[in-house]
Amino acid sequence: MRAEPGDRIVIQSRSLGAVSRDGEVLEARGPDGTPPFLVRWSDNGHVALVFPGPDALVAPARLHPYPLEHLQHMTHLAQHGTRHRLDAA
């Protein structure tokens, strides 16, 4: 997983009925844009160092016009091994 400043990260909730989180990647601290990422969460503005797991999806900054619901849907599809074309949304 790689990210650049400005990219969006979405963490899918592991609990049924719980809300997913999204935030803006401020910095990638690993080599060549790899984790950990410094992220500003959109729900509360808190900045945290994130070590994303398999429930995470990074959306490049150029995809920000897509609504958060679309990114969460992409996360769900990715977790279930379904191929999805970004331009089909």
Side-chain angles (χ1 to χ4, degrees):
M1 177 178 295
R2 297 180 188 280
E4 297 180 2
D7 289 351
R8 183 179 301 204
I9 187 167
V10 177
I11 309 292
Q12 187 68 30
S13 171
R14 293 183 184 186
S15 301
L16 184 61
V19 178
S20 299
R21 291 188 83 189
D22 81 295
E24 178 186 0
V25 175
L26 302 176
E27 182 180 337
R29 294 200 172 169
D32 298 320
T34 57
F37 304 133
L38 192 63
V39 174
R40 179 182 301 118
W41 296 110
S42 64
D43 59 351
N44 60 12
H46 180 75
V47 175
L49 195 59
V50 176
F51 294 81
D55 54 349
L57 170 75
V58 172
R62 64 182 169 76
L63 296 181
H64 281 209
Y66 288 97
L68 177 59
E69 293 79 22
H70 177 76
L71 297 176
Q72 290 171 337
H73 179 68
M74 288 172 27
T75 303
H76 174 78
L77 293 176
Q79 288 175 338
H80 293 89
T82 305
R83 293 180 184 224
H84 181 69
R85 289 185 47 205
L86 297 177
D87 59 354

